[in-house]
Structure formats: C-alpha cells, structure tokens
Amino acid sequence: MTSTLELPAKNLEANYTSHPAELVEGGDLRDAIPAHCFKPSYFWSFFYLLRDFLVTGSLMYAAYNYIPKIEHPLARYVAWAAYGYVQGQQMTGIWVIGHECGHGGFSTNDYLNDTIGWILHSALLTPYFSWQSSHRRHHIYANNLAKDHNYVPPVKDKYASLMAVDLEHLEEMAEDSPIYTFSRIVLQQVVGFPWYLIANITATQGSLANKNPPSKYPFGNSHFLPTSTLFRPEEWHLILTSDIGLGLTVAALWCASTKIGSEAVALLYIMPYMWVNHWIVAITYLHHTHPDIPKYEPEAWTFLKGATATIDRELGFGGKHLMHNIAEFHVIHHLFPRIPQYHAEEATKAIMPLLGDSYHADKQRSFWVCIWESFTQCQYVVPDDPAAKPEHRAMYYKGGPSPPLEISMGRGGLRRELI
C-alpha cells in the first residue's frame, strides 16, 4: 500500500478558500478516526467554555477579596505569584477555545464560531480575524521553508551570515553561556507573541499574501494594519474588526483601573496575561522545534509531510485540564484542525498505528528541559543528504549559539519561488 506521506500533494498555491482539514490526501487517516470525532458538540463546547469562565471568575474573585488580607508580605507575594501562574494557564485555556473557534471546531455555525472567537481573543489582546488569517496559512504550509509563518529557521549559509563567520568555521563557534541562553529564552517568552503580531517575526517572506514583498514601514507586516502585507485587500474589514476588539478591551481595562486601581488590574489581569503570552509562545515553539523533526524545502514538501513534522508534548495537569490538551495532541490538530479538543486524544490514538514512525511525541521529559534543548540544539537547518536533489531530502536542525535578535520578518527559510 502506498504510504500516506508519499501521496502527491494538492496544488496549494494562492489557495485562500480551502480549509486545512480538507487537504489530507487519501482516505486512510480520515477513515481510521471515529466519525463522531469530527462533529462538534454544542453541549461539550459550551460546557468547557462556561467551566473556564467559572474557574477564571472564581480565581479573580478570590484573589481580589482575600489575597490583600494576607498580613505577611512574603506570603502575600507568594499568593499573588501562584494566582498569576494558575490563572495564566486557565486564561490560556480560554485562548485555546478562541483558537478552536478560528478553525471552525467549536460549532458547525461559522457565525457563532467567529463571534465567540472574536470576543475571547479580543479579551486576551489577540486580534482574532488577523491572527486567524495568518494562522490558517501556517496550517496549510506548516514546515515549508518557503511559506510557513511560525518558527522558520535559517539555512546554514544564512545562519553563518547572521553570525558573521565563514561556513568552514561554523562548527568551531563556542556555545552561548547558560546565563545568556537563559536570558534569551526569557526574552522570547516575554515579548515573542506581541512582537510576532507587530512584525511577523519567525515567518518567511513567502508567507505574505499574494506574494507581497515585505513592507519597510512600521506595522507594514503586522497583524494590526488593514493594509498589511499579510492580508488580501478584501480582508481589510476583518482586520479593522479585530482592532476594534482590542480597543474595547483596552478601554475596559482603563475603566477597571479607575474603579479598582491600576495595581489591582495589573495583578488580576496583566500578570496572568503575561503567562498566557508565555504559554502561546512556548507551546508553538516546542510543537515545531525539535532536533529530530524535519523541515522541508518546497520541492520536497507536501501538506502531510508538513503536518506530521510536528511533535506532541506534555504539560502535566495544567496542560490537560486547564489548557485543553493543546500541547499534548497537536499532530492531530495539524492534520484535522476542525476536530474539537475534547476528541483530540481519541482521534490521535486512532491514527497512531497508521502514521507509525511519522508520528512524533516527546512526553517523558520536563517542559523546561525540552525548551532548553530546542533553544540550544535548533538554530539552523541542513539537508540530511547534501548530495540529493531538494525534492529527495529533508532538512534537520543543528545546534549553535543564538543569532542576533530578530527584529523584522524574513530572516529564516528560503526565498526562491515555489514550484
């Protein structure tokens, strides 16, 4: 039987209307998954949404009313820190439900999906329709070195250029000190997501709509400007709607600060939001960055190869019960993004025998160990067989010191035309 990963890819060039879930070639994978896994349940979707609201509201109420009454300063600081961490995971769960709305996995009604998704993501300072547009293209072109949107690494010669060394001396560079590596990880986790929204960092030039060249103007490649190179002209009203949602949230936070004080708003909302930012960056980074997971040049890439070149991770109790298994079952999400999160585990187990070695998971090690490994061992990519033609090879990560900070998009990946 022909391997699922060897079937010919559909023509995805300038394909703005198809859904990533429709691009799986062949019927073996889809047929292996129980039919009910593809059907959103209004009961379960709203159950998880309302449960998340209840937990978030209860945590916020308890923190506001009881933590300030703790007399010992150290104990009070510890209580606020614990609140921020737990609330951050729960708010990330709400963000995940908004993300599911963006894929059409919350319900069978697109208007309901977009309404709820816009409300949830706006409340968490994410431009819903803007992010939905670019994220959809990430799903279609995942791990394509010419067209992906997220964490696209540089090839060897580009990395050498960034490090200002000759190719023959690349392997001789000393590794970064642990303190420097730690500081770079913290910087990525703190500002990574906002800077991605502002400047589309870690994306390739080919990720832009209609083959636009990158803009040289402020916010020209951002998720906030209706005329951004990320979007088609007909999307302008959706980008504006996203901006309105963000404006309403900022206004609500300002109003809240006039009622309960800016310090309370910072502790109750901003602190857990920073954890949301951390988890969005960390989860996405670890899904697509691992020494044993390939990237592909456009000649070798297919939708299935790209979708399965992701890796399931383990985030413990919070990942399973608060963040809706977003890290634990990500491979199935790339293959069939309309499958609701509450069916992801069952669907994953159904396709694992078919995928065989093409299914990747790293669930035995600590999250912190994994992020350190990815940050130190995954700096650029090289072909597994340099003598082979691009269509017959895969690209794998190599380690090295961190390159200079990425301020604007287009540093990673390839720039040649897709075939």
Side-chain angles (χ1 to χ4, degrees):
M1 183 177 67
T2 302
S3 168
T4 304
L5 298 184
E6 295 174 353
L7 290 170
K10 294 181 180 180
N11 179 15
L12 305 181
E13 181 66 17
N15 184 345
Y16 291 103
T17 57
S18 62
H19 190 282
E22 300 165 356
L23 299 173
V24 176
E25 304 91 338
D28 289 351
L29 289 176
R30 190 181 297 272
D31 292 344
I33 300 171
H36 69 266
C37 290
F38 293 97
K39 300 175 181 177
S41 162
Y42 282 94
F43 173 82
W44 286 113
S45 292
F46 277 102
F47 169 81
Y48 284 108
L49 177 60
L50 295 176
R51 186 205 69 174
D52 286 359
F53 282 163
L54 178 62
V55 174
T56 299
S58 298
L59 287 171
M60 194 169 290
Y61 176 86
Y64 180 71
N65 286 281
Y66 297 111
I67 292 181
K69 296 179 181 179
I70 299 176
E71 294 184 1
H72 195 285
L74 180 59
R76 189 166 63 251
Y77 296 154
V78 170
W80 276 120
Y83 162 79
Y85 181 79
V86 176
Q87 183 74 294
Q89 289 197 335
Q90 184 58 83
M91 287 168 61
T92 302
I94 292 175
W95 189 94
V96 169
I97 292 179
H99 157 265
E100 192 154 275
C101 290
H103 283 295
F106 184 85
S107 77
T108 56
N109 186 305
D110 289 340
Y111 293 105
L112 179 63
N113 290 333
D114 286 340
T115 300
I116 292 177
W118 177 78
I119 293 171
L120 299 183
H121 272 192
S122 296
L124 293 170
L125 297 177
T126 300
Y128 173 74
F129 291 105
S130 311
W131 176 87
Q132 180 190 45
S133 177
S134 64
H135 186 67
R136 179 189 158 279
R137 275 174 280 151
H138 159 64
H139 267 262
I140 290 179
Y141 296 109
N143 298 302
N144 182 321
L145 285 172
K147 300 210 74 172
D148 197 1
H149 264 270
N150 298 135
Y151 296 107
V152 183
V155 294
K156 185 176 183 179
D157 57 348
K158 179 62 176 177
Y159 176 75
S161 175
L162 291 169
M163 301 303 295
V165 299
D166 296 330
L167 282 172
E168 57 267 25
H169 298 134
L170 199 58
E171 305 290 342
E172 301 172 8
M173 289 191 300
E175 64 182 17
D176 292 328
S177 69
I179 292 176
Y180 182 75
T181 299
F182 178 76
S183 67
R184 287 293 297 268
I185 291 174
V186 170
L187 185 64
Q188 172 180 282
Q189 299 310 116
V190 172
V191 302
F193 187 54
W195 203 252
Y196 167 72
L197 294 176
I198 290 170
N200 201 32
I201 58 169
T202 79
T204 65
Q205 180 174 321
S207 67
L208 301 177
N210 297 333
K211 299 184 180 179
N212 288 329
S215 172
K216 297 179 181 179
Y217 297 100
F219 295 96
N221 303 311
S222 79
H223 286 73
F224 304 114
L225 201 64
T227 57
S228 168
T229 58
L230 283 174
F231 310 116
R232 294 165 290 147
E234 57 267 33
E235 294 181 286
W236 72 269
H237 63 292
L238 297 174
I239 313 310
L240 184 59
T241 303
S242 301
D243 294 342
I244 291 172
L246 299 181
L248 291 173
T249 298
V250 171
L253 291 172
W254 179 83
C255 289
S257 70
T258 64
K259 301 294 184 182
I260 63 175
S262 57
E263 181 181 358
V265 170
L267 291 169
L268 293 171
Y269 178 88
I270 301 299
M271 182 169 60
Y273 168 76
M274 295 304 296
W275 279 108
V276 174
N277 173 75
H278 155 76
W279 288 116
I280 293 172
V281 173
I283 291 167
T284 308
Y285 180 64
L286 289 180
H287 282 159
H288 301 287
T289 313
H290 188 283
D292 298 329
I293 303 300
K295 304 287 183 180
Y296 295 99
E297 295 163 282
E299 296 88 349
W301 177 88
T302 67
F303 175 80
L304 271 177
K305 283 183 178 179
T308 54
T310 59
I311 185 165
D312 288 347
R313 302 282 192 169
E314 177 63 49
L315 295 182
F317 179 88
K320 181 176 181 63
H321 297 288
L322 301 181
M323 296 186 282
H324 305 301
N325 284 316
I326 186 64
E328 285 76 1
F329 304 108
H330 191 71
V331 174
I332 191 69
H333 175 66
H334 259 276
L335 288 166
F336 300 103
R338 281 200 178 111
I339 290 180
Q341 52 86 11
Y342 40 83
H343 292 318
E345 182 174 6
E346 181 180 4
T348 296
K349 291 178 178 178
I351 65 169
M352 284 173 61
L354 282 176
L355 290 179
D357 292 341
S358 295
Y359 171 74
H360 305 286
D362 189 350
K363 295 189 174 185
Q364 304 304 314
R365 299 186 299 163
S366 162
F367 158 80
W368 298 107
V369 170
C370 292
I371 201 167
W372 187 273
E373 175 190 65
S374 293
F375 211 86
T376 55
Q377 301 303 313
C378 302
Q379 294 295 353
Y380 63 100
V381 290
V382 297
D384 56 354
D385 183 359
K389 294 181 178 179
E391 58 266 30
H392 300 309
R393 66 192 189 188
M395 307 287 282
Y396 283 88
Y397 278 107
K398 296 282 287 183
S402 299
L405 290 173
E406 186 171 3
I407 304 301
S408 58
M409 65 160 294
R411 187 169 79 180
L414 301 167
R415 293 191 179 185
R416 64 179 182 270
E417 275 301 307
L418 285 174
I419 56 173

